[in-house]
């Protein structure tokens, strides 16, 4: 018989994550699409990705706990107030299958970016839509989202709704399920003001027993958070060609120095059509070593794929179990064990 809820909660002493009083460190896999695949009728793809995470030694998977795209049958909301049960049932399946594999989850609650609706869709539901020309540029409308009192109320209602949900497969309440390592307030919430972070963190903490992170790219520190997060892509973020290894190590060590709480390097990557494979492998190995030396709690590249996933969907970053990075990840796992 499958035993649901067999994982224990991870705590923090403010400087490191703890499991049964001992330091807890991990590698993570990014597989944002899991509930989307289940909700679109392809659970085998989500299961294959979770199996790949196990094969690679990942202890944690980061995946979206939102889907605000009205055009998707896998959506989790129909508007600011109405949940879409099929999409939430798909998330139930993801959480249950992760628990079966003793995988923990990091679940972002909303997206800054518009691919799955994001804050642009929330503004549209609010009756203040974003111009088509601006949709791909959230920096042009994010301030409106953060400052809107009605949207804060909707965010709080959505958190309460999800936290109180009983998983239809495991019977566990989301806010009490140790399969969920942490909630992120938003995926990459650029420009989020301090008062929005304080509001959103307090809302999640009032409903959920798990850790709370912001989900940002810059390891922003705030007293309301349990975790700091860092995302970096040298080729996107101004790195000079040939300086990728140093760039990544500098980003990691500086973020770890500034962070007042455990740091998770939640995303990083080098494009497959950029540096040669050997150079990418070498850079990744150096970044893992820098992170381990700096006391980083968890770290994982973008993006974990499954065999049937089209290569062009993920901007040239996808990697696979049984592929080019297996040895690099095995060596990294030893550093984080």
């Amino acid at each position: 018989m499958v035993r649901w809820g067999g994982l224990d909660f991870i705590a923090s002493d403010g400087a490191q994550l703890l499991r049964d009083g001992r330091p807890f460190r991990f590698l993570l896999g990014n597989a944002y699409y899991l509930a989307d695949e289940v909700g679109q009728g392809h659970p085998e793809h989500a299961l294959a990705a979770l199996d790949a995470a196990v094969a690679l030694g990942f202890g944690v998977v980061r995946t979206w706990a939102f889907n605000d795209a009205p055009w998707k049958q896998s959506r989790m909301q129909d508007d600011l107030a109405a949940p879409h049960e099929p999409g939430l049932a798909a998330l139930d399946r993801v959480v249950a299958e992760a628990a079966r594999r003793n995988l923990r989850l990091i679940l972002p609650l909303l997206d800054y970016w518009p691919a799955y609706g994001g804050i642009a869709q929330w503004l549209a539901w609010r009756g203040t839509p974003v111009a088509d020309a601006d949709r791909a540029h959230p920096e042009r409308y994010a301030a409106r989202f953060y400052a809107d009192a009605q949207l804060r109320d909707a965010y709080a209602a959505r958190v309460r709704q999800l936290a109180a949900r009983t998983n239809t497969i495991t019977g566990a309440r989301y806010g009490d399920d140790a399969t969920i390592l942490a909630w992120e307030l938003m995926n990459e919430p650029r420009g989020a003001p301090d008062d929005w972070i304080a509001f959103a963190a307090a809302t999640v903490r009032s409903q959920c027993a798990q850790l709370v992170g912001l989900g940002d790219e810059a390891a922003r520190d705030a007293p309301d958070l349990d975790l700091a997060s860092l995302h970096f892509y040298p080729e996107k973020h101004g790195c000079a060609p040939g300086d990728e290894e140093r760039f990544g190590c500098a980003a990691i060590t500086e973020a770890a120095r500034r962070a007042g709480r455990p740091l998770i390097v939640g995303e990083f990557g080098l494009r497959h059509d950029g540096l040669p494979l050997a150079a990418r492998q070498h850079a990744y190995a150096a970044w893992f070593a820098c992170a381990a030396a700096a006391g980083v709690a968890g770290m994982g590249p973008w993006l974990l794929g499954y065999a049937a996933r089209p290569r062009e969907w993920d901007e040239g970053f996808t990697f696979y179990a049984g592929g080019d990075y297996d040895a690099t990840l095995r060596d990294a796992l030893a550093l984080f064990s």
Side-chain angles (χ1 to χ4, degrees):
M1 176 181 288
V2 174
R3 179 172 177 259
W4 303 112
L7 294 168
D8 51 349
F9 275 96
I10 300 302
S12 171
D13 66 2
Q16 61 184 343
L17 298 181
L18 301 172
R19 179 182 180 183
D20 294 330
R22 293 177 293 180
F24 174 72
R25 304 177 78 185
F26 58 88
L27 297 187
L28 70 87
N30 279 285
Y32 68 88
Y33 50 77
L34 296 179
D36 187 25
E37 289 284 15
V38 175
Q40 293 189 86
H42 298 289
E44 71 278 8
H45 293 166
L47 302 187
L50 291 171
D51 288 340
V54 172
L56 290 166
F58 294 153
V60 176
V61 172
R62 181 170 174 264
T63 191
W64 296 167
F66 59 79
N67 187 334
D68 310 310
W71 58 91
K72 284 182 174 284
Q73 68 184 43
S74 56
R75 66 191 180 278
M76 297 181 196
Q77 289 181 252
D78 286 321
D79 56 35
L80 289 178
H84 185 71
E85 179 58 27
L88 291 169
L91 183 61
D92 291 348
R93 178 79 184 274
V94 170
V95 175
E97 294 292 347
R100 288 185 59 172
R101 293 161 174 77
N102 287 323
L103 291 168
R104 302 175 192 274
L105 299 172
I106 295 176
L107 299 180
L109 288 159
L110 184 58
D111 204 359
Y112 178 82
W113 305 103
Y116 278 69
I119 61 174
Q121 184 58 50
W122 280 50
L123 285 163
W125 281 331
R126 171 71 171 88
T128 57
V130 172
D132 289 344
D134 291 337
R135 190 174 178 84
H137 302 278
E139 71 277 6
R140 299 177 184 173
Y141 53 83
R144 282 202 285 136
F145 170 85
Y146 295 129
D148 192 296
Q150 182 173 323
L151 291 179
R152 291 193 183 197
D153 289 345
Y155 184 96
R158 206 264 164 160
V159 168
R160 290 192 298 270
Q161 183 184 82
L162 185 58
R165 179 179 176 82
T166 298
N167 188 304
T168 56
I169 300 171
T170 69
R173 179 183 178 272
Y174 269 75
D176 298 321
D177 189 346
T179 307
I180 301 166
L181 170 67
W183 302 95
E184 290 183 343
L185 305 182
M186 187 187 295
N187 176 52
E188 299 186 344
R190 295 183 183 181
D194 290 344
D195 70 307
W196 187 88
I197 295 171
F199 143 76
T203 299
V204 175
R205 201 176 300 284
S206 71
Q207 304 296 317
C208 301
Q210 301 93 343
L211 299 168
V212 179
L214 178 55
D216 67 321
E217 301 155 282
R220 185 167 172 179
D221 207 358
D224 310 285
L225 304 174
D226 299 308
L227 303 170
S229 62
L230 173 69
H231 300 175
F232 70 89
Y233 297 86
E235 293 149 325
K236 292 183 177 181
H237 293 160
C239 175
D243 196 34
E244 292 85 0
E245 182 178 322
R246 186 211 61 81
F247 181 99
C249 283
I252 292 165
T253 53
E254 175 60 17
R257 184 190 67 79
R258 289 189 290 104
R261 55 215 71 246
L263 174 64
I264 295 174
V265 182
E267 295 183 20
F268 63 87
L270 291 165
R271 291 183 55 86
H272 298 337
D273 59 2
L275 291 176
L277 173 60
R280 284 181 270 130
Q281 292 168 328
H282 192 271
Y284 281 24
W287 296 346
F288 280 119
C290 288
V296 168
M299 183 168 178
W302 189 269
L303 177 89
L304 176 63
Y306 52 84
R309 189 168 178 81
R311 273 39 175 182
E312 68 272 15
W313 280 6
D314 301 305
E315 302 178 19
F317 292 102
T318 312
F319 68 95
Y320 304 86
D324 294 335
Y325 295 102
D326 282 27
T328 305
L329 292 168
R330 279 197 302 270
D331 291 345
L333 185 61
L335 295 173
F336 279 78
S337 296

